[in-house]
Amino acid sequence: MIELELSEEQRQLQRTARKFADEVMSPVAQEHDEQHKFPREIIEKGWELGLLNMTIPERFGGIELSCVSQVIVAEECSAGCVGMATSMIANDLALLPILIGATEEQKKKFVQPFTEKMRYTSFGLTEPNAGSDVAGMTTTIRSDGDDYVINGAKMWITNGSHAEQFSLFGKTDPAAGHKGITCVVVPGDAKGITRGKPERKMGQNASDTIGLTFEDVRVPKANRIGAEGEGFKIAMQTLDASRPLTAAFALGVARKAMEHAIAYSQERKAFKQPIANFQAIQFMIAEMAMKLQGARLLTYQAAALVDKKEERSSLISAYAKAMAADVAMEITTNAVQVFGGYGYSKEYPVEKLMRDAKLIQIYEGTSQIQRMVIARQIYGGANPSGGLV
Ligand code: CAA
């Protein structure tokens, strides 16, 4: 049975997130982008409204939203400003490995504090020389009595400047490829962590992105999440669950660009009439609307599969992430085109959306990696329809 209706509770959540995006995020989005300013106060307000840490179970004081509900929030917030939304969702991404692989006692220790006050946590997977190739990471987690000693570097870490805790992946057995990867929780104040300067990026400038180095950083073995060697699987399961949210970011950015393009095309006159009268423009708007809705339906299907839990959502999560990111790139690029010269100007909102969209094709697994996941799933026997056919 397919139901494509949101519940009243989900509509309310959507209204709350949209009001926050329209009234709190959007008015200062341009300024944060231009000044590369971290939106600390805005994120704190979002935390108070329950728009962060959405995955935390109720038993630890969280609101435990379904993935579908999180997708609703993610689309709205990214329509406000996706750079800010990326920094908001980074906590959920970092908490997921703990929720997937930790014991109840560890979850209480490492997850519950995030419901008590606004704290930041970061997901530490990517390295300077290992982005797409997770198994190629070289950070080491060496056993030393009751402790682990961590050495290595991480790169492109969202909210890394502010994190009080890292969900970090490294190798306890460097010779064992992906089977040697382990996940540990590292307190942000551990001795030996050096935080780099915020990266200067093309877009999503409100989000904080840094590199980190770990030099003989010591953590107790009790901070290990899951067994030694289980880290790769935990990371992949985390990404399966978080990719629908990244897809929802793309929906928010694309929707905003389309709305601007529709409004502008009705105002702007050329050849004595609004440019919306021209078929060339109408076809661009029609393409935007249908592709956005196609990507949205895939995103909801992926989120619904994540919520089902009993089956791997890798295939549909990858479809959603790749499709939505590519569609957002196309829609934002065409929105700039509809605006013509003004679209290229920083006085108008669409150039920011185009720059912001580009990153969605790169982070959380590039568009090419999503296609690799899709092909492997299909050749591995997965049902390409996700069970619909
Ligand atoms: N769930 C469970 N198990 C999985 C799995 C999944 N989703 N994906 C793979 N596995 C298992 C495989 O079954 C295989 O198991 P066996 O050992 O039993 O054979 C094992 O893991 C190894 O799998 P692969 O052979 O497919 O591994 P690979 O080394 O070829 O890499 C990859 C696979 C898909 C390319 C992976 O490296 C990948 O996803 N790369 C992209 C990384 C990424 O998305 N990074 C994003 C960082 S976070 C971020 O960007 C956030 C931000 O800034 C905001």
Side-chain angles (χ1 to χ4, degrees), residues 17-286:
R18 186 169 299 182
K19 191 167 186 298
F20 182 72
D22 287 348
E23 294 176 7
V24 182
M25 299 170 92
S26 283
V28 290
Q30 208 81 5
E31 173 199 328
H32 279 71
D33 174 61
E34 277 167 25
Q35 297 174 14
H36 294 242
K37 195 162 122 190
F38 188 69
R40 191 181 277 280
E41 302 81 30
I42 292 168
I43 292 179
E44 282 188 14
K45 279 191 198 144
W47 180 82
E48 282 163 19
L49 282 173
L51 303 176
L52 270 85
N53 303 329
M54 298 178 285
T55 33
I56 300 184
E58 283 178 3
R59 64 184 186 283
F60 301 121
I63 51 171
E64 198 171 1
L65 291 186
S66 66
C67 191
V68 170
S69 294
Q70 291 177 52
V71 155
I72 293 168
V73 172
E75 176 174 340
E76 295 307 325
C77 290
S78 64
C81 175
V82 71
M84 294 180 191
T86 290
S87 270
M88 287 166 69
I89 214 87
N91 265 24
D92 281 291
L93 178 65
L95 295 173
L96 266 172
I98 304 173
L99 293 169
I100 288 169
T103 62
E104 279 296 291
E105 197 186 330
Q106 286 177 316
K107 287 178 192 171
K108 197 166 171 15
K109 182 166 178 201
F110 299 128
V111 172
Q112 192 154 303
F114 292 87
T115 64
E116 290 157 5
K117 71 184 258 277
M118 179 56 220
R119 301 172 200 270
Y120 293 92
T121 174
S122 297
F123 181 69
L125 183 73
T126 303
E127 300 192 350
N129 295 311
S132 295
D133 181 12
V134 172
M137 68 172 61
T138 55
T139 292
T140 55
I141 303 180
R142 181 172 53 80
S143 169
D144 186 21
D146 290 337
D147 290 343
Y148 284 121
V149 180
I150 305 164
N151 281 285
K154 293 289 167 184
M155 189 68 193
W156 312 119
I157 305 303
T158 303
N159 293 352
S161 305
H162 310 283
E164 290 184 32
Q165 178 174 296
F166 297 100
S167 296
L168 188 91
F169 296 81
K171 284 189 171 162
T172 39
D173 184 355
H178 71 268
K179 291 199 166 84
I181 296 177
T182 300
C183 177
V184 288
V185 173
V186 183
D189 60 1
K191 208 165 146 254
I193 300 178
T194 306
R195 301 178 196 232
K197 282 205 303 215
E199 294 295 329
R200 303 283 294 176
K201 308 189 295 283
M202 174 197 278
Q204 299 211 15
N205 293 320
S207 73
D208 172 68
T209 314
I210 67 160
L212 295 165
T213 53
F214 293 80
E215 207 180 335
D216 291 330
V217 175
R218 205 166 262 278
V219 294
K221 282 191 174 157
N223 284 23
R224 188 185 67 226
I225 303 302
E228 282 191 4
E230 263 183 18
F232 187 85
K233 199 169 159 207
I234 292 173
M236 292 301 120
Q237 288 171 335
T238 298
L239 293 169
D240 282 347
S242 68
R243 283 178 182 152
L245 302 180
T246 316
F249 281 179
L251 303 179
V253 173
R255 190 183 86 206
K256 201 73 190 172
M258 183 179 79
E259 286 168 0
H260 283 305
I262 293 170
Y264 184 79
S265 66
Q266 289 169 307
E267 284 162 20
R268 171 73 180 176
K269 290 202 170 88
F271 307 101
K272 301 195 177 88
Q273 52 189 311
I275 60 170
N277 287 356
F278 301 129
Q279 201 178 51
I281 301 292
Q282 289 173 4
F283 277 17
M284 281 166 100
I285 301 294

